[in-house]
Amino acid sequence: MHDLAGDKGNLTNMILRNSPNFDNTPRALKSNPITKSRRISFTTVSAGQQEGSTESTNAPSRRINPTPVSGKPFRRQTNAFIEQESTENKESSPGGDSSHLEEERELLRREKAKRLQSKAENKSEGLEFLSCNTPTKLLDRSVSTVDIVVADIAEVTHRIELDKLVHLYSACLSENLFPNLTMELYFLMQLLTSRSIDMELIAVCGEDVLENNFFSTVHNAVYFAVSVMTQQKRLLQCLDKGTLRLLSENTRITQFSPDLSSWLSDILDSKNQQVGPVYPKSPIGSVSFQAETDNRKNFPDDRTFHLFKRQRDGFYEILRLWERQHMTPGWSVSEALGDRIRALVSAKTELSNHLHFARLFQSQLIAMCKGDSSVMVETGDENIALLNQLKRSNPEKFKKLQERFFKPLSFGGPCPVPAFPGCQEFFHDFIIAASSTIFNQHLSDTFASKILEHLPYLDLVECIKEALTLSRLTLTVPWVVEFLSMMDVVAPKIDHFQLTLYLLLAIHRACWRDLDRGSYGYLLIVTMISWLLDAISVIPEGFFFVEIPVHVFEIVSSVKQKSTTHLDSIGFVDQSVYYSCCPYLLELRTLLTEFAVGSSSKTSTIRKITPISAEDTSVHKPSDVQIQLQLEENFFHNHPASLRRCVDFVAERTASNFIKKFRTSSLQTLLTQSREALNTHLMSQAGGSPSGKAKGLNLSAGVVSEGLIDPPYGACSRLSVKDKLQHDILKIAQDHVAQAKAVVAKDVGSYCEGRIKALVLLLLPDEQSESVKQTATEISTRLSQEKVHSWINKHITVQMFQSELSLELDRILKSQLLNQTRSVSGPAEISVSGNPVESGFEVIAKEHDDSTRFPSDVLIDIKDMVKLVILKNVSPEKIAVKNLLVETKTILEKRQDWLPGIFRSFGQLILDLCLSLMCYFPEDWTVEDLDEFEVLWTGSLKSAIPFSSAVNSYTLKLLEDSPKPKFAWMNFEELLLMFLRLSLLSTSDLQQSCLNVLSGTQDYVENLAVCLCHIVEKLETDPDHCTDGCELGDVLEWIYQVCGAEAQVSHLILQTLKLDSPPGHESGGPVTDHSPIRLDPRSDSSSETDKVHGKDRPSNSESNLVECLHKNKKLCSEMNKCSNNCCERMDGIHVKLDGLSVSMQDLDVSVPK
Amino acid sequence: MKLSVYNTIIEIMHKHNSRDCLPLIVKEFPDFSISTIGSIYAQDYQKKMRKTHHIHYNPMKMEMYYEQYLEGVQNKERHILLKISNGIELSPALLARMILERYLSSTKYGGENPPRSYVTKLMKDNTLINDPMLASEIHECLVSDDHYGPHVDNIKQSIGHEHECKLNRILDSLNLAYIGEDQMRTRGFDKTPDVKLEVPFSVDGHVINWIESKASFGDEYSHRGYLKDQFWSYWNRFGPGMVIYWFGFIEELDTDREKGIILSDKFPENIVRMNPIMK
């Protein structure tokens, strides 16, 4: 046995070399992106098998390397450790012990360098020491369950030496002499769970030959591990419940140290399972759309607005694809989605889109990564218990399952390289795939401003200093570490980052010193900084051991902690936070679980690192200085910062509220007024027809009549009209902008003043002096008014009104054009009484009755009934018809969910139902059976239907097709009479609709004439009906002309009209109370056409109706030749005939035979 | 409704090829209302029309149908268009419109196509059609067609509106504040569900921020379309929400619950309100 005390260097060397942990394979280079699980590199005993040959070059490595320490006796060293443990850490102060430590560190460094050089030699030397192998890991162990060697305390050799090693190792651990705590714990677990089928394992030595290998057996290794653990209970205590349970159930611990085992059980019982919904996953999953920041007003134009709408949906579509696909082997973002991403990010986008998209990207990233369950740690250990059970009950199934079962638990070893776990990967890959410099710039801008809410770029040193001052290192260090872990190669060479790293190292030492029992805050800091220094390839090797410059310590020591709440000392970090920040700690558990189930895992994930570049900081421009502003600055300077925040906040909110109010009320009124002004202006241009808006808007016609446009070129001249109108619009716009500003000027003062006064009083501290309150109020009021005015000046512009008015003008012109097109193209277009449905519809129900049927349901029944009648010739029961009509009345009165469309359908189909019943079953359905119809027609359904439409071509056909046409016609006659008597229909409208029908067909002219004659007669004898207004004469006269004097019906017409002589003679005097008919429909009267243009012509006499009718007929024949020109002219003529509702349809009247 | 049941129902419908089978189906599957079955039928019918659209809408075919119509007129037949439509399995209203277009084209537009808006106008108001024969033929088609035409359009629109109103009334009665489509549009939202809740509630552990009312049956075709054009867009802006297919849906489509789109066939009864005091 060697004199251990004599040569510490040898001892350390020996410990580590001989330990199963000693890794003789080439040390994994820091630049190696793959950090494999740092499992002990076990080798087999088989002769000729070289150590290291079982593991490839990416074999796991440990940072701890043997360090020969010269000079001081072991005992004293140990004492020094113990002393130091009990006293303050004196590293910063000069002193024997601490300088000695530095010396040791230097030695460690040298040794490390040496070791790196001698790797190759080690390999070859290994052959010479075949008797010196480490515990063996069988080659096939990775895939199969292997019997685990039973460690036996009785078999432990070299107890004394081992105890010393335990003591030494434990002291190093306590004294923060190992760079990475996690690694040491992992090492201990590896020893604890070491396995071998060969009891004669011998460690491989380096260049130093040792006669004895204290770690040559599993028993010794376990003994060492258990002994160290016994001394490091305070560290064990911090482990999670799952790990502790595995430790407490570990058979080796039970065997080697029943005390430790029972202590573990006690701890386990006292420990509450910390389930970590620390950051509950955001339930939203997406970024909320906020009208204030996301609506159209936040974009320069429609194009960019709609582009962003597509960008947003496109982004989420990509995200969803990623979620679905990213676990698929061989799938990659850049390959599968690269083109889509690039198209999304760099499509013809403008500044606003980049801004919005970067913001969306950032918000989504934060929302998703916050509480990402895929990077969170599963702390429950039910699965392990389940697995154990399964192993017993169904070994085969267990074997299959175990591989899969452990995979998710692997975090890439106890010291993984920085990675983008979980959904972070998506954002990482997205940025890479997008490869857009503009996007990147916007992203970094928006992130920087998110973290500090100001530019320039992050000043990490300041952040750390502030964290020290405020005692919130536990909050700051984790993100600083995460941030630094992405450094590129150059960054650590920059002073700023060097200083940052030194600061972290100093913090590491300080926190180690203060590691309180059971507190996770400093433990978290220590663990994370250790990880950073250990895992990040760009940080210089051995940085942990360097001397921290004095000025760095000064920074730390000069910090004066503020007397606010100390986040670091209030237990803000608990175990679940600790584990979620350092998920690789679960590797310990993986080891133990593997041991427990006798398996080994062999997985590790590969993650990419993206370096960040060091950024230049930009310089702030000083703002303009004015004396008042200086005063104000000073005012705020001498008051707490909260005062300014309060003033700004109140001003901002008040202004925003005023603007919102203005936008929804005054501005809408002004916009409406401006549109009305435009309409009024157009009406005055159109000659100010008194017949209401509809005609007033008849712009083109109006312009035509004013001779502004040459009629034949009406269509193409609309543009020039618009041009001419532009300056009028400009004037209207200017007027209204002025009005808007006046309104604001009038309202904003009192609005802001009143509110702000109250608010400031509420928000400022009570003890604040009155004058401060007063000043604050005034500043805030001024600020809010400034904000309002600047908003108004920016948004309430002449251009804005102009564009609104241009839209309005377009709308008017378009509707006008449409009317023109229709009237030209659609001969039968204008229905007599216009379209009362759209305007006449309103929901009449004051209350809603849910027990009634839906309108759609009732209408379907009515429609089915009409279908039954006209297609199946089935007569419905009267009660059924009645019920439907009554129900219609009910739902009209009791339901509020009516729409104009279905209301109109009700009108049409109920009239259809009535007419078809009277035609198909004329004897069953007479006017006496129409009570329910009448109720509806005179009541709530009145505006749903133009009653004149009862006279139409298909109804007349229906009447003719009736099994009893005579009865049907009588019914029809009665129906029309009923309409007339109920004033649902006027005789002039009736006459017009008859003319419309007859212009299309003369098939039923005689029956219609008879019907009309009867109506006239009956109306004349009807005491209740005023006959004066009967205006059916013209159509009858017209029919007379069409049918000829010889026709039977003509006699009836003469009779009815009480004419002595037939109408239609040029010289004929007034034969009725109507004006004489001077034109025979068949006569050629084209010579008269020109007269129609004359303005002197009376335009409202009934005789002219007929006359024009005929003129038009003549024009019709010309129309086919001259087409559009003629139409234009005709259109002009039409407009002239104000008061006459003669429409272009009359052009289509075919010349009677 | 399970997909298998849905498929069975569709099979029965195809066998009968008429709405007459609807009451039979309701009898066989009493769990489902006539509206549900009717909606499924209508969707299937529309699917058929979409699939066969290209067959009918080519100039030669259209001219042929018009010739057939004119022949019928010549022979003083009745229900000409209905007979044709039956023979070629095209919706009567669609055929009516096609014939009207041909008619206007040949009688008034010298072979050119009449303006669509004008054709639509005449379809909406048959009294404007001069030719009595054509007017009555078209009128007949429109009255008898259960799936297309102005009346059906109005009915469909009304059904949607009725159920939106129903949803609004339920929310009102539960005192749940929300803003509707119109308000959202005024405020400049680029995508607007029927209802956006001012204060979310939850159903079966799922948070609901918005509700879309669909007065139709949720079959695969329509649901996929809605997801792409509407539901995901709502999710993208307002987070998780709920779709109410008032006439039911294929259960197998309800796969996005965890992601934040839940389907329902009624307003759920077991809602959990937000309660800021109880945290």
Side-chain angles (χ1 to χ4, degrees):
Chain A
M1 187 181 143
H2 270 217
D3 180 11
L4 288 170
D7 188 341
K8 194 192 171 197
N10 283 345
L11 169 86
T12 317
N13 204 347
M14 183 182 66
I15 295 173
L16 294 160
R17 254 156 225 261
N18 295 350
S19 83
N21 187 40
F22 175 63
D23 180 7
N24 216 13
T25 55
R27 198 183 131 70
L29 295 175
K30 274 207 154 193
S31 55
N32 188 346
I34 305 166
T35 295
K36 267 203 71 171
S37 157
R38 287 177 9 159
R39 212 179 199 310
I40 305 164
S41 169
F42 299 109
T43 57
T44 56
V45 246
S46 51
Q49 181 89 50
Q50 239 177 282
E51 190 195 25
S53 63
T54 54
E55 298 281 337
S56 60
T57 44
N58 61 358
S61 73
R62 261 176 51 80
R63 277 183 72 100
I64 305 298
N65 285 282
T67 311
V69 182
S70 61
K72 305 287 163 52
F74 175 64
R75 189 62 62 190
R76 264 183 65 193
Q77 283 296 308
T78 312
N79 287 343
F81 294 154
I82 294 163
E83 276 164 32
Q84 283 219 325
E85 197 172 302
S86 58
T87 59
E88 280 289 308
N89 190 328
K90 291 171 186 165
E91 279 171 326
S92 56
S93 61
D97 286 332
S98 60
S99 66
H100 186 77
L101 281 174
E102 289 305 320
E103 190 187 327
E104 263 192 34
R105 287 201 168 97
E106 179 55 32
L107 284 167
L108 276 169
R109 269 199 296 280
R110 278 193 223 144
E111 179 61 22
K112 194 183 228 175
K114 209 163 96 188
R115 197 132 297 284
L116 283 168
Q117 281 178 345
S118 61
K119 275 172 208 154
E121 296 158 31
N122 285 350
K123 258 191 177 174
S124 56
E125 278 165 3
L127 274 174
E128 297 167 31
F129 304 102
L130 280 175
S131 58
C132 213
N133 277 359
T134 51
T136 300
K137 173 186 165 195
L138 278 182
L139 282 172
D140 60 349
R141 190 180 285 172
S142 60
V143 287
S144 67
T145 316
V146 167
D147 290 334
I148 289 172
V149 175
V150 177
D152 188 352
I153 194 156
E155 306 254 347
V156 175
T157 58
H158 306 95
R159 279 221 191 192
I160 300 166
E161 292 86 345
L162 282 175
D163 284 340
K164 286 177 179 169
L165 292 173
V166 165
H167 195 64
L168 178 62
Y169 180 85
S170 190
C172 285
L173 196 55
S174 302
E175 278 310 307
N176 193 19
L177 291 180
F178 297 130
N180 192 342
L181 175 68
T182 318
M183 293 302 293
E184 300 313 319
L185 287 172
Y186 191 73
F187 168 48
L188 287 175
M189 298 304 158
Q190 282 186 316
L191 285 180
L192 177 68
T193 61
S194 62
R195 59 190 70 185
S196 171
I197 49 165
D198 192 339
M199 295 303 179
E200 298 294 321
L201 295 176
I202 307 156
V204 169
C205 300
E207 62 269 35
D208 303 315
V209 181
L210 290 173
E211 284 160 21
N212 288 305
N213 176 8
F214 309 121
F215 289 84
S216 60
T217 64
V218 169
H219 317 294
N220 284 13
V222 172
Y223 178 79
F224 179 84
V226 173
S227 304
V228 174
M229 283 186 205
T230 311
Q231 296 193 13
Q232 294 293 339
K233 284 179 183 165
R234 66 162 189 166
L235 292 179
L236 295 185
Q237 209 172 16
C238 297
L239 299 173
D240 72 311
K241 201 172 178 182
T243 312
L244 287 173
R245 180 190 301 280
L246 286 164
L247 282 173
S248 77
E249 288 170 359
N250 188 290
T251 46
R252 288 176 170 177
I253 295 181
T254 320
Q255 221 244 318
F256 278 69
S257 171
D259 286 352
L260 179 63
S261 188
S262 68
W263 177 83
L264 284 165
S265 303
D266 292 347
I267 289 290
L268 191 65
D269 292 340
S270 68
K271 217 172 179 95
N272 289 324
Q273 179 64 39
Q274 298 223 12
V275 198
V278 192
Y279 310 111
K281 187 162 170 57
S282 160
I284 304 296
S286 67
V287 176
S288 132
F289 181 98
Q290 290 295 328
E292 289 74 23
T293 53
D294 297 333
N295 74 10
R296 165 69 185 79
K297 306 276 182 206
N298 291 283
F299 291 83
D301 51 40
D302 280 340
R303 194 183 69 83
T304 49
F305 177 58
H306 290 295
L307 180 64
F308 186 65
K309 179 168 91 180
R310 285 196 300 277
Q311 279 182 306
R312 181 193 291 266
D313 288 330
F315 175 64
Y316 283 108
E317 210 174 319
I318 288 170
L319 179 56
R320 276 190 287 275
L321 280 171
W322 177 82
E323 281 176 337
R324 213 177 310 147
Q325 298 284 347
H326 74 285
M327 299 301 267
T328 315
W331 190 88
S332 92
V333 169
S334 56
E335 270 177 40
L337 299 172
D339 290 341
R340 289 175 76 159
I341 290 173
R342 281 184 289 280
L344 189 75
V345 171
S346 49
K348 285 179 191 162
T349 43
E350 296 192 2
L351 186 65
S352 61
N353 289 75
H354 280 298
L355 283 172
H356 276 92
F357 189 74
R359 227 166 49 195
L360 174 73
F361 189 88
Q362 173 193 273
S363 311
Q364 185 63 30
L365 188 153
I366 292 169
M368 274 177 79
C369 296
K370 204 164 67 179
D372 182 355
S373 55
S374 60
V375 297
M376 289 293 273
V377 162
E378 154 97 58
T379 44
D381 52 356
E382 294 78 12
N383 48 0
I384 294 159
L386 183 79
L387 211 59
N388 273 322
Q389 203 188 345
L390 189 67
K391 189 191 175 189
R392 283 193 294 274
S393 58
N394 192 348
E396 275 308 304
K397 194 172 182 185
F398 163 76
K399 214 170 162 181
K400 283 182 197 160
L401 269 176
Q402 66 179 20
E403 274 295 304
R404 274 187 271 171
F405 212 87
F406 288 108
K407 279 195 173 176
L409 272 174
S410 182
F411 291 86
C415 189
V417 291
F420 297 92
C423 58
Q424 290 177 27
E425 188 190 336
F426 167 76
F427 296 96
H428 169 270
D429 292 353
F430 188 100
I431 294 171
I432 301 293
S435 59
S436 159
T437 46
I438 306 177
F439 173 57
N440 291 348
Q441 187 59 46
H442 279 285
L443 258 191
S444 47
D445 286 350
T446 180
F447 273 111
S449 69
K450 180 76 184 175
I451 293 167
L452 285 180
E453 298 193 324
H454 69 75
L455 291 169
Y457 294 88
L458 288 170
D459 184 344
L460 291 175
V461 174
E462 270 313 307
C463 289
I464 295 171
K465 278 189 198 166
E466 199 183 348
L468 281 165
T469 314
L470 299 171
S471 289
R472 54 167 202 221
L473 288 169
T474 44
L475 188 67
T476 307
V477 169
W479 73 254
V480 170
V481 165
E482 286 287 340
F483 183 70
L484 288 176
S485 75
M486 307 291 169
M487 278 190 296
D488 63 10
V489 191
V490 185
K493 300 193 168 77
I494 296 168
D495 287 349
H496 181 84
F497 285 97
Q498 259 178 18
L499 181 56
T500 313
L501 289 173
Y502 279 128
L503 269 174
L504 288 178
L505 198 52
I507 288 168
H508 181 280
R509 289 181 191 170
C511 287
W512 181 271
R513 212 172 51 218
D514 294 341
L515 273 188
D516 294 315
R517 263 174 177 275
S519 158
Y520 286 94
Y522 290 142
L523 187 61
L524 171 67
I525 292 170
V526 165
T527 311
M528 287 204 76
I529 295 175
S530 293
W531 171 79
L532 176 74
L533 301 181
D534 202 6
I536 310 310
S537 61
V538 298
I539 294 174
E541 286 273 357
F543 186 81
F544 175 78
F545 300 102
V546 298
E547 194 175 336
I548 299 172
V550 179
H551 74 272
V552 175
F553 272 115
E554 278 169 1
I555 291 175
V556 179
S557 57
S558 67
V559 159
K560 287 193 185 115
Q561 294 199 334
K562 285 193 178 162
S563 60
T564 51
T565 312
H566 291 176
L567 192 66
D568 291 343
S569 56
I570 57 167
F572 159 71
V573 177
D574 60 8
Q575 192 188 69
S576 47
V577 177
Y578 179 52
Y579 268 78
S580 28
C581 290
C582 312
Y584 36 82
L585 281 164
L586 280 189
E587 288 283 343
L588 301 180
R589 208 170 80 185
T590 309
L591 272 182
L592 292 168
T593 314
E594 280 168 25
F595 176 79
V597 298
S599 79
S600 65
S601 87
K602 52 165 186 163
T603 59
S604 72
T605 48
I606 300 170
R607 301 284 191 190
K608 293 171 231 160
I609 311 176
T610 315
I612 57 146
S613 303
E615 294 279 358
D616 288 333
T617 52
S618 60
V619 186
H620 264 315
K621 248 189 183 171
S623 57
D624 290 341
V625 181
Q626 291 172 351
I627 188 69
Q628 281 302 324
L629 281 179
Q630 276 187 15
L631 286 172
E632 200 170 299
E633 277 305 306
N634 282 281
F635 169 77
F636 282 124
H637 182 76
N638 290 313
H639 283 287
S642 65
L643 178 68
R644 170 170 243 160
R645 285 204 299 274
C646 171
V647 163
D648 283 345
F649 177 73
V650 168
E652 202 266 325
R653 292 324 306 156
T654 310
S656 167
N657 290 343
F658 178 85
I659 290 164
K660 276 182 195 144
K661 186 173 164 237
F662 171 78
R663 269 204 328 222
T664 52
S665 57
S666 311
L667 184 60
Q668 295 309 318
T669 317
L670 284 163
L671 283 171
T672 314
Q673 280 174 10
S674 70
R675 287 188 205 109
E676 277 166 8
L678 178 66
N679 280 332
T680 316
H681 177 74
L682 294 177
M683 276 219 287
S684 68
Q685 292 284 301
S689 158
S691 54
K693 201 176 171 185
K695 276 201 179 115
L697 293 185
N698 199 332
L699 175 77
S700 297
V703 175
V704 170
S705 70
E706 294 296 310
L708 290 175
I709 306 174
D710 198 13
Y713 305 105
C716 58
S717 301
R718 277 183 302 108
L719 278 178
S720 65
V721 182
K722 207 178 161 184
D723 285 343
K724 284 181 183 178
L725 284 169
Q726 281 306 333
H727 84 271
D728 300 328
I729 286 179
L730 179 67
K731 195 170 175 308
I732 297 172
Q734 284 167 338
D735 285 353
H736 283 82
V737 169
Q739 278 182 46
K741 290 191 172 164
V743 169
V744 171
K746 181 170 144 285
D747 296 346
V748 72
S750 54
Y751 182 94
C752 293
E753 242 174 75
R755 299 207 161 202
I756 288 173
K757 196 167 186 176
L759 283 169
V760 167
L761 279 179
L762 275 172
L763 292 174
L764 291 190
D766 293 335
E767 65 266 24
Q768 201 67 267
S769 76
E770 279 310 313
S771 60
V772 169
K773 286 178 185 167
Q774 177 64 23
T775 313
T777 306
E778 284 166 2
I779 295 172
S780 192
T781 308
R782 192 205 69 225
L783 284 175
S784 68
Q785 292 190 15
E786 279 171 8
K787 282 175 205 290
V788 169
H789 285 300
S790 101
W791 186 88
I792 296 285
N793 287 333
K794 198 169 158 207
H795 294 98
I796 306 302
T797 57
V798 173
Q799 287 88 333
M800 184 211 76
F801 273 96
Q802 269 180 309
S803 65
E804 292 284 338
L805 291 172
S806 296
L807 284 178
E808 176 76 1
L809 183 66
D810 280 346
R811 199 185 60 74
I812 297 166
L813 290 179
K814 201 174 161 193
S815 69
Q816 179 53 35
L817 183 69
L818 206 64
N819 282 340
Q820 269 185 304
T821 319
R822 280 178 184 167
S823 55
V824 171
S825 60
E829 195 258 341
I830 294 180
S831 64
V832 182
S833 40
N835 198 350
V837 178
E838 306 288 349
S839 53
F841 173 73
E842 57 180 327
V843 175
I844 54 168
K846 295 279 178 285
E847 304 247 307
H848 185 90
D849 181 357
D850 241 343
S851 64
T852 54
R853 282 208 294 165
F854 288 127
S856 54
D857 285 344
V858 179
L859 186 69
I860 290 171
D861 286 357
I862 294 173
K863 182 166 163 289
D864 284 345
M865 194 174 269
V866 178
K867 200 199 310 190
L868 209 63
V869 174
I870 64 175
L871 292 180
K872 301 262 163 74
N873 206 8
V874 173
S875 174
E877 286 187 32
K878 289 201 172 163
I879 186 71
V881 176
K882 184 185 166 180
N883 285 346
L884 270 182
L885 296 173
V886 170
E887 191 171 15
T888 301
K889 180 171 182 289
T890 310
I891 60 172
L892 275 166
E893 285 163 1
K894 296 198 169 167
R895 291 195 72 92
Q896 294 179 318
D897 49 2
W898 280 88
L899 286 176
I902 197 158
F903 182 66
R904 193 165 54 232
S905 278
F906 263 95
Q908 281 182 16
L909 284 172
I910 285 178
L911 186 60
D912 282 346
L913 178 64
C914 173
L915 290 168
S916 31
L917 287 173
M918 292 177 112
C919 293
Y920 280 81
F921 314 104
E923 287 164 306
D924 297 342
W925 290 90
T926 67
V927 81
E928 273 77 44
D929 302 297
L930 301 183
D931 288 354
E932 279 76 29
F933 286 98
E934 192 184 324
V935 168
L936 280 174
W937 287 331
T938 53
S940 38
L941 206 59
K942 190 172 177 180
S943 58
I945 177 104
F947 288 93
S948 55
S949 73
V951 184
N952 65 66
S953 58
Y954 74 79
T955 305
L956 298 193
K957 181 170 186 300
L958 210 61
L959 292 164
E960 294 289 314
D961 290 348
S962 167
K964 304 254 170 89
K966 200 181 164 206
F967 284 99
W969 274 103
M970 275 166 58
N971 281 342
F972 188 59
E973 185 185 306
E974 289 296 328
L975 181 70
L976 291 178
L977 267 172
M978 183 175 118
F979 287 167
L980 290 166
R981 287 183 178 133
L982 294 170
S983 302
L984 298 172
L985 179 65
S986 69
T987 46
S988 64
D989 283 349
L990 177 59
Q991 168 161 286
Q992 188 59 53
S993 64
C994 291
L995 283 169
N996 288 344
V997 172
L998 291 174
S999 70
T1001 177
Q1002 273 96 53
D1003 290 356
Y1004 321 110
V1005 67
E1006 294 197 1
N1007 277 337
L1008 182 62
V1010 172
C1011 171
L1012 290 176
C1013 287
H1014 289 167
I1015 287 173
V1016 172
E1017 281 168 15
K1018 286 186 179 163
L1019 284 178
E1020 278 171 355
T1021 56
D1022 187 347
D1024 297 335
H1025 194 85
C1026 172
T1027 54
D1028 293 346
C1030 184
E1031 294 172 4
L1032 292 170
D1034 293 330
V1035 68
L1036 286 174
E1037 285 172 16
W1038 194 87
I1039 292 170
Y1040 181 91
Q1041 302 290 342
V1042 169
C1043 298
E1046 299 78 26
Q1048 216 177 352
V1049 72
S1050 297
H1051 294 290
L1052 184 63
I1053 292 173
L1054 285 180
Q1055 243 175 41
T1056 307
L1057 296 179
K1058 302 185 181 67
L1059 293 180
D1060 300 335
S1061 57
H1065 295 286
E1066 287 289 336
S1067 55
V1071 284
T1072 63
D1073 41 349
H1074 296 293
S1075 302
I1077 297 168
R1078 285 169 290 174
L1079 290 170
D1080 187 303
R1082 279 159 288 191
S1083 71
D1084 184 353
S1085 54
S1086 57
S1087 59
E1088 299 266 347
T1089 308
D1090 289 342
K1091 288 185 192 168
V1092 182
H1093 288 285
K1095 275 198 168 183
D1096 53 341
R1097 267 194 116 73
S1099 58
N1100 54 356
S1101 87
E1102 287 300 323
S1103 62
N1104 274 331
L1105 170 75
V1106 180
E1107 181 180 313
C1108 293
L1109 215 64
H1110 297 303
K1111 301 243 176 237
N1112 291 344
K1113 246 184 275 172
K1114 289 298 129 191
L1115 277 172
C1116 172
S1117 58
E1118 289 174 27
M1119 240 180 87
N1120 293 330
K1121 296 172 212 147
C1122 62
S1123 72
N1124 284 342
N1125 269 2
C1126 184
C1127 290
E1128 290 290 340
R1129 292 174 69 82
M1130 282 310 300
D1131 196 38
I1133 293 163
H1134 264 277
V1135 176
K1136 297 288 178 177
L1137 300 174
D1138 192 28
L1140 275 186
S1141 34
V1142 176
S1143 68
M1144 291 304 287
Q1145 67 186 13
D1146 304 316
L1147 287 175
D1148 197 45
V1149 174
S1150 53
V1151 179
K1153 298 136 234 170
Chain B
M1 182 183 292
K2 287 261 182 279
L3 181 62
S4 52
V5 175
Y6 172 81
N7 287 333
T8 313
I9 290 174
I10 292 286
E11 251 174 62
I12 300 175
M13 286 173 176
H14 286 177
K15 214 164 66 196
H16 285 79
N17 203 18
S18 133
R19 288 182 79 92
D20 298 343
C21 66
L22 300 190
L24 296 174
I25 295 173
V26 175
K27 219 173 186 181
E28 201 171 324
F29 300 92
D31 289 349
F32 307 114
S33 68
I34 187 84
S35 327
T36 298
I37 304 298
S39 180
I40 293 175
Y41 189 93
Q43 279 171 347
D44 192 57
Y45 186 88
Q46 281 159 20
K47 198 161 124 196
K48 188 168 114 188
M49 288 303 120
R50 273 197 305 276
K51 276 186 178 169
T52 55
H53 181 275
H54 64 281
I55 299 174
H56 306 295
Y57 285 79
N58 79 63
M60 275 189 23
K61 276 279 168 65
M62 293 197 283
E63 205 49 49
M64 192 180 96
Y65 301 149
Y66 186 51
E67 298 284 334
Q68 281 179 24
Y69 162 72
L70 291 179
E71 224 170 275
V73 175
Q74 211 80 55
N75 299 338
K76 306 248 191 270
E77 287 174 34
R78 296 190 68 188
H79 311 313
I80 308 165
L81 291 183
L82 283 174
K83 275 183 210 154
I84 298 177
S85 101
N86 221 19
I88 61 173
E89 300 215 334
L90 176 65
S91 134
L94 293 180
L95 177 69
R97 188 178 169 112
M98 189 195 283
I99 297 298
L100 177 62
E101 270 173 12
R102 290 296 96 207
Y103 169 82
L104 291 172
S105 168
S106 63
T107 58
K108 299 214 164 49
Y109 287 86
E112 298 289 312
N113 287 333
R116 292 178 60 84
S117 59
Y118 179 53
V119 180
T120 306
K121 195 179 168 65
L122 297 200
M123 289 293 284
K124 279 187 182 170
D125 187 353
N126 303 155
T127 67
L128 302 179
I129 303 172
N130 287 327
D131 184 323
M133 189 66 181
L134 185 63
S136 93
E137 283 284 324
I138 287 177
H139 181 249
E140 225 170 69
C141 285
L142 298 187
V143 168
S144 64
D145 197 320
D146 289 314
H147 304 103
Y148 290 90
H151 291 313
V152 176
D153 287 345
N154 284 334
I155 288 169
K156 281 189 198 162
Q157 197 191 8
S158 181
I159 294 176
H161 180 72
E162 288 154 9
H163 286 83
E164 273 174 46
C165 291
K166 184 173 168 177
L167 173 62
N168 292 354
R169 282 197 305 277
I170 294 172
L171 292 169
D172 289 341
S173 70
L174 293 172
N175 228 352
L176 292 164
Y178 59 92
I179 58 172
E181 256 177 302
D182 294 342
Q183 278 164 291
M184 293 178 80
R185 230 170 262 132
T186 323
R187 292 192 202 173
F189 285 79
D190 58 357
K191 288 273 184 174
T192 52
D194 290 325
V195 159
K196 179 173 164 287
L197 296 163
E198 295 276 62
V199 179
F201 60 77
S202 95
V203 177
D204 300 334
H206 299 282
V207 176
I208 308 297
N209 292 291
W210 51 267
I211 306 171
E212 178 76 4
S213 158
K214 288 280 172 238
S216 61
F217 181 81
D219 69 352
E220 202 191 336
Y221 176 86
S222 55
H223 186 63
R224 205 185 308 127
Y226 287 142
L227 270 179
K228 190 176 181 306
D229 296 333
Q230 301 187 353
F231 307 153
W232 282 124
S233 289
Y234 303 152
W235 186 95
N236 295 345
R237 286 157 182 76
F238 315 114
M242 170 168 69
V243 179
I244 303 182
Y245 280 111
W246 295 100
F247 298 155
F249 55 91
I250 297 174
E251 282 168 36
E252 279 83 348
L253 293 175
D254 193 9
T255 54
D256 295 307
R257 290 180 89 81
E258 294 315 313
K259 286 186 166 178
I261 295 174
I262 74 170
L263 308 186
S264 178
D265 59 0
K266 58 177 184 301
F267 193 89
E269 279 154 18
N270 53 336
I271 66 161
V272 175
R273 291 160 189 266
M274 188 168 150
N275 184 355
I277 303 159
M278 195 187 72
K279 275 268 164 167

